[in-house]
Amino acid sequence: MAGFETVVTLKDEAATAALGARIASALEPGDAVLISGELGAGKTTLVRSILRALGVEDHVPSPTFTLVQAYETPALQVSHFDLYRIESEREILELGFEDSLNTGAALVEWPERGVPERLGSGALRLTLTPTGEKTREARIAGPSRWRKALA
C-alpha cells in the first residue's frame, strides 16, 4: 500500500543523478529501493547515482553475475542486488537480502524476479521507462515519508 506516488521526467543523466541524490538523502537503515524497467531503462545508472551521493567513489559495476555488491558508505551499509538471473524467492533469501535490511539498505534491480512481498512491502518502488533516446519517465511509489525528498 503506497502512501506516496509521483511521476518524474528524467531529461538526461544529470536529472537521473539528481533523483539519485534525493533518494540517497532520505535513505535509512532497513530501506529497500526496488527499481524496475526493461533492459537499458537506466536502473544501474540510478543505483550508481544513489551510491555516488552517499559517498561511494569506487567503480560501481552492475552485479548481474555476482548478484550482489556491498558498499560501506559514511551513512550506512548499502547492498546492490541485481536479480535478473534469479529464479526463485529462495535464492534471494540465500543472497542475504533480509540481512542487508537488518544492517543497512538494499538497492534492487529487477525486484519482480524474486523479492518476497513481505520484505518489499514498505519499499520505495521505481519503474523506469525510456521515453526517448536519453529521456526516462520514473514512476515512484512508497511510504509517505518519501514525499518530502521526492515530491
Side-chain angles (χ1 to χ4, degrees), residues 19-125:
L19 175 61
R22 293 190 338 241
I23 292 169
S25 74
L27 200 61
E28 298 177 351
D31 281 343
V33 179
L34 310 181
I35 307 168
S36 298
E38 63 188 51
L39 284 171
K43 296 178 297 297
T44 302
T45 300
L46 180 59
V47 168
R48 285 183 182 127
S49 296
I50 295 167
L51 291 169
R52 292 274 178 261
L54 289 169
V56 174
E57 295 177 2
D58 297 335
H59 173 65
V60 177
S62 175
T64 301
F65 295 103
T66 59
L67 305 179
V68 63
Q69 287 286 131
Y71 298 91
E72 284 290 334
T73 77
L76 73 163
Q77 182 173 323
V78 179
S79 296
H80 175 198
F81 292 86
D82 184 322
L83 305 184
Y84 186 74
R85 297 179 338 127
I86 293 291
E87 295 182 10
S88 73
E89 179 179 307
R90 180 184 54 77
E91 287 180 81
I92 188 169
L93 294 174
E94 289 173 0
L95 287 173
F97 184 75
E98 216 165 348
D99 292 337
S100 73
L101 296 178
N102 291 332
T103 60
L107 306 176
V108 184
E109 296 184 51
W110 301 99
E112 60 277 5
R113 302 259 183 169
V115 173
E117 188 54 41
R118 67 184 171 81
L119 297 178
S121 62
L124 179 65
R125 297 174 185 271

